[in-house]
Amino acid sequence: MIRTAESPRPTRRTVDTHCPYCALQCGMTLSRGAGTEVAPRDFPANAGGLCQKGWTAPALLTSPARLTTPLVRVAGELRPASWEAALDLVASRLLEIRAEHGPDAVAVFGGGGLTNEKSYLLGKFARVALGTSQIDYNGRFCMSSAAAAGVRAFGVDRGLPFPLTDLAGADAVLLAGANPAETMPPFLQHLRGAGAKGGLIVVDPRRTPTAEQANLHLAPAPGTDLALALGILHAAVADGHMRQSYADERTTGFEAAWRIAAAYWPEQVERITGVAAADQRRAAELLAGARNAYVLTARGTEQHATGTDTVSAWINLALALGLPGTRGSGFGCLTGQGNGQGGREHGQKADQLPGYRKIDDPAAREHVAGVWGVRADSLPGPGRSAYELLDVLGTEHGPRALLVFGSNVVVSAPRSAHVTERLSALDFVVTADLVLSETSALADVVLPVTQWAEEDGTMTNLEGRVLLRRKALDPPVGVRTDLAVLAGLARRLGQPEGRFPADAETVFTELRAASAGGPADYSGVSYDRLRAGEALYWPVPGEAHPGTPRLFLDGFAHPGGRARFVPVRHTGPAEPPDERYPLHATTGRVLQHYQSGAQTRLVDELNDTVPEVFVEVHPDTAERAGLAEGGLALVSSRRGAVTARVRRVGSMRRDVVFLPFHFPGEARANLLTNPALDPVSRMPEFKVCAVRLSKEDGAE
Ligand SMILES: Nc1nc2c(c(=O)[nH]1)N[C@H]1C(S)=C(S)[C@@H](COP(=O)(O)OP(=O)(O)OC[C@H]3O[C@@H](n4cnc5c(=O)[nH]c(N)nc54)[C@H](O)[C@@H]3O)O[C@H]1N2
Ligand SMILES: Nc1nc2c(c(=O)[nH]1)N[C@H]1C(S)=C(S)[C@@H](COP(=O)(O)OP(=O)(O)OC[C@H]3O[C@@H](n4cnc5c(=O)[nH]c(N)nc54)[C@H](O)[C@@H]3O)O[C@H]1N2
Ligand code: SF4
Ligand SMILES: [Mo]
C-alpha cells in the first residue's frame, strides 16, 4: 500500500516562487486559502502569464498518487519500508556490488529538473562517495547538441546569452525547431514585436500553433535543417547581406564554412528540404534587413544524429549576419527543463566538474578536489553518455546497479523497449521520485522526495539567471529532500560527517567555491543577494560583481575573443525512409503534458484534455493506410510499434507523422525512435526515424 499525502501546511501565507516545470521558470505566487493555489506574478520571463501546467502545479502537492514512504521490493513486490531500512539496504547493496565488480559497477542518472544544489551534490556523490565515472543525465537528451555547438562557436555555452526581454526590440526572429506556443506559452509575448514588424520566421515540418503566428513558415522534411540553414546562408551571402567587417574583426573560419555553403544554392536546397527557394531568400532578407535580429534554436533542430552540426549551421548564418555579441541582436537556444541550464553546469554530466569545468582538465580536477577535501587523483575520469550508459546496463562490461534521480528513462529514452530490458538486467535499481514513475515501478528501492514548494533551492533559467525557489510549505510526513537522501547514503557509504550537507544554502555555498574561476562562475551569487531580489546572470565572479546579463558584447570566450565559423555539410537522417518504412516519424510535446508525463498524467485537468497518445497524419496519407479520423493506427519502425489515435491534420506534410512522447507502456513514442547518436554531443535522433502506418487490427 502506498500512503497518500496529507494536506501540506503552509509555513507562510503567500510566497513568491517559480513554476516546477520548464526553463522559462515563470514567476508565481503560492498562497494558502481553502487549498494551495498559485497565481502569476510580474516577473520578466513571464510578465504575468502562466500556462495550464503552471496553473495546475499545486495539484501534485496533495495528489493521492504522491509517494510518502520508501518502498522496497520484497518477493517481487514494492512494499513500504522505514527510511532506516531502505537507506541501509541501498548502502549495503551498493557496497557489495562495488566490492565485487569495482566502483564503475554503480551508475548514476540525474535530471535537468533538479536544483543546482541537487545536481552539484549528485555529481560529487558519484565521484567521491561512490568513486564511479558512470554518471550522466537526461540533459544529454535535451540540450547537448546546442551546448556542444555553442561551445564550439563561442567558447562557452549559456543558452540565451542575453535577457529574454531583449527580444522585444527585435524586427526579425527565426525560430528553428521550437514550438513555444505549446512548450512555453508566456514566452510568445517576447516575440510580439518581431511578429508585428513582419519578421517572425518559424522552421518546423508541422504547422504548429507557433507556426500559425509566424509571418513566414518554412516546413522542411525532418532532419534536413542543416541543408536549409546552408541554403539561407547561401542566399544571404549571394544577395550581398554578408556583414564582412564583423566577420573580419570578430570571427574566424568563414572561408572554410562558405566553401561548403557555396554549393547549397536555394534551388538545390529546395530539392533536399521541400522549402521553396523563394522562401529561403525571403528568410535571408527578413533577417538581413532587420536592425535587430535573432536566430533561436530548440529541440526540433537539435535532437538529431547531426544535431551539433545543424546548430553550427544556424550559428554560421547568425555570424554571417553579424548577430552574436551585438547589442539588440543575437543567437541563442531555448533551454527546456526547469533547471536545464544550471543542471548542465555543475557536474552531473559524464565529462564534467562544477562550474562547467572539464573533468579531464588537470587544473579543474585540482581545484574541485581541493574544495571537496579529496586528492585529485582519486577522482574518476569521464564516463559514458546517457544512451551509451543505458545501453550497457547489466551487460558483461556495464554497471550492475543504477541510481536515478529526476528522470523517467523507461518512457523518455530512445529505443525504450531495449532500455527497459537493460534496466531489468541490473542487480539493483534505486530511484528517488515524487511519484511512482514507470522507471520507479521497476526499481528495487524507491525513495520518496519533496518537491519545489517544499524545499529551498536555486534554479538557473533559460537566460542564465539564477533564481531562488523558497520553501513555502512543509512536506508531507514521510518524505525527505534529495539532499537529505544523498547525505544519508553518503554517511552509510563511509563518508565523513559534513562532507555531504543536507541544507540547500550550505550546499550552494560549497558550489560557489567549486565553480569559482570556471566558465559558469557562481562564486558571487549568494542566497542573500537572491533574497534581496537581485537579477544575477552568470558569470558572477565576486560578491561585488553585478553579474553578466549580456555575454560576448566585448568578445567571445575563445582565446583571442573571436567566434568561430564551423564548416558543416548536410548528410540527412540516419534512417532515411524506404519501401518498408516510407514515412518520417517525428516526436515532441503537447501543451498539457510535461516530458515522460510522470507528473502531468496525474493532474486530472491536464490528463482529461489529452488522455492518450495520438498520431498526426495528413488526410491523404491516412486515406492510403485506410485510417479514419479518431480510429487507431499502428505506427511501426524497425525497433517497435505504437498504437495511436489518428488525428488527420490537413497542414501536415504527406511524408511526416508526429507523435507526442508523454505516454507510458505500449503508447511510448520511444518504442519507435532511433538511438543513432550525434558524434560530438551523443544526442540521440529523437526527431526523425522511418516508420510505416497501418490499421490497428480490431480497430473501430
Ligand atoms: N508542454 C510542455 N512544455 C515543455 C516540455 C514538455 O514536455 N511539455 N518540456 C520542456 C523541455 S525539457 C524542452 S527540451 C522544451 C522543448 O521545446 P520545443 O523544442 O519547442 O518542443 P518539441 O515539441 O520537442 O519540438 C519542437 C518542434 O520541433 C519540430 N520538429 C520535429 N522535427 C524537426 C526537424 O527536423 N526540424 C525542425 N526545424 N523542427 C522539427 C516538431 O514538429 C515540434 O513542433 O519544452 C519544455 N517545455
Ligand atoms: N521521443 C522523444 N523522447 C524525448 C524527447 C523528445 O522530444 N522526443 N525529449 C527529450 C528531452 S528534451 C528531455 S528533457 C527528456 C525528459 O524526460 P525525463 O528525463 O523522463 O523527464 P521527466 O518526465 O521530467 O522525469 C522526471 C522524473 O523525476 C521526477 N522528479 C521531478 N522533480 C524531481 C526532483 O526534484 N527530484 C527527484 N528525485 N525527482 C524529481 C518526476 O516525477 C519524474 O518521474 O526526454 C527526452 N525524450
Ligand atoms: S511556461 Fe513553463 S514555467 Fe511557465 S507556467 Fe508553463 S510550464 Fe511553468
Ligand atoms: Mo528537454
Side-chain angles (χ1 to χ4, degrees), residues 158-249:
R158 200 181 88 190
L160 297 181
F162 47 80
L164 265 180
T165 44
D166 281 9
L167 292 171
D171 310 296
V173 176
L174 181 144
L175 284 179
N179 181 18
E182 294 193 75
T183 54
M184 295 185 182
F187 168 83
L188 287 185
Q189 59 193 310
H190 302 293
L191 302 176
R192 266 193 217 133
K197 291 172 196 144
L200 182 59
I201 308 163
V202 170
V203 181
D204 195 309
R206 299 187 302 143
R207 193 160 180 87
T208 59
T210 310
E212 284 288 345
Q213 301 190 27
N215 306 104
L216 179 63
H217 173 207
L218 311 179
T224 63
D225 287 42
L226 207 166
L228 181 62
L230 291 172
I232 301 175
L233 172 64
H234 184 109
V237 174
D239 295 344
H241 299 308
M242 169 86 188
R243 302 281 160 92
Q244 196 61 54
S245 58
Y246 171 96
D248 291 345
E249 286 158 27

Side-chain angles (χ1 to χ4, degrees), residues 5 19 56 87 272 584:
C19 176
T56 55
L87 294 179
I272 302 172
H584 292 294

